[in-house]
Amino acid sequence: MKLEKRFCVQDNRLYLIEGNREFPAADTRLSASACAGGSVPPADLSRLLLIELPWPQVGCDESSYNEEFLAAFRDFLKALEDKGGYAAVIPVADASSAADAATEKEALTASFKHCARRIKDCASVAGFAVPACLSGVDAAFFMEELSAKHEQYVFFSADPALLQDPAIVRLPA
């Protein structure tokens, strides 16, 4: 199932294609557990919701993916879609979770690729942020892996090096 692209990026800013209007991010971030715990999205949907999703909550490897959580998270995103809202998923992985080891970075990417598969039919998802612990070829690998089957996603970052690419959306501080 392919979803149509709903957003485009110009000069590191997100635009809703319909109406060609800038779509700013919310001022605060929500936790994915709070979202998955209830089915009612926030009242103000005129801004992009930023939803922080800790890597351990998704599951750190194939044997530990948290399917129950991902199903509840999908339900929230579908409810958000029904109300006309949009969100960006912000992976959270601390330095100890995503050490410099290549296998750890691949496991991190695999976990969020699995998450993307579980929420693939949610038109409310604008895209994913590149985890802050990834840069250079690791960041490119993350974006390539998630884009492979989810061409509609845009990517977000606060990393000045990644923001040299005007097609990556600047995350608010």
Side-chain angles (χ1 to χ4, degrees), residues 36 65-75:
Y65 292 149
N66 188 343
E67 301 299 343
E68 184 178 335
F69 167 77
L70 291 171
F73 186 49
R74 180 192 172 278
D75 290 344

Side-chain angles (χ1 to χ4, degrees), residues 3 5 48 64 84 86 88-89 101 117 136 140 151 154 164 170:
L3 295 177
K5 199 170 190 81
L48 183 74
S64 70
Y86 296 99
V89 178
R117 279 195 304 267
E151 295 172 5
V154 297
Q164 294 299 312
R170 180 181 308 278

Side-chain angles (χ1 to χ4, degrees), residues 45-57:
L45 300 177
S46 65
R47 299 172 82 75
L48 183 74
L49 299 177
L50 301 176
I51 302 174
E52 292 184 336
L53 179 54
W55 182 16
Q57 197 153 22

Side-chain angles (χ1 to χ4, degrees), residues 103-164:
T103 54
E104 288 291 316
K105 292 176 180 180
E106 287 176 14
L108 171 65
T109 298
S111 292
F112 283 96
K113 184 177 179 180
H114 180 77
C115 175
R117 279 195 304 267
R118 291 295 175 252
I119 61 175
K120 70 181 175 198
D121 65 334
C122 298
S124 61
V125 178
F128 278 72
V130 176
C133 59
L134 300 181
S135 61
V137 293
D138 297 320
F141 177 71
F142 180 87
M143 291 185 286
E144 286 170 21
E145 286 293 298
L146 269 66
S147 293
K149 292 197 175 186
H150 310 282
E151 295 172 5
Q152 78 277 13
Y153 286 164
V154 297
F155 291 94
F156 301 78
S157 182
D159 181 345
L162 290 176
L163 291 171
Q164 294 299 312

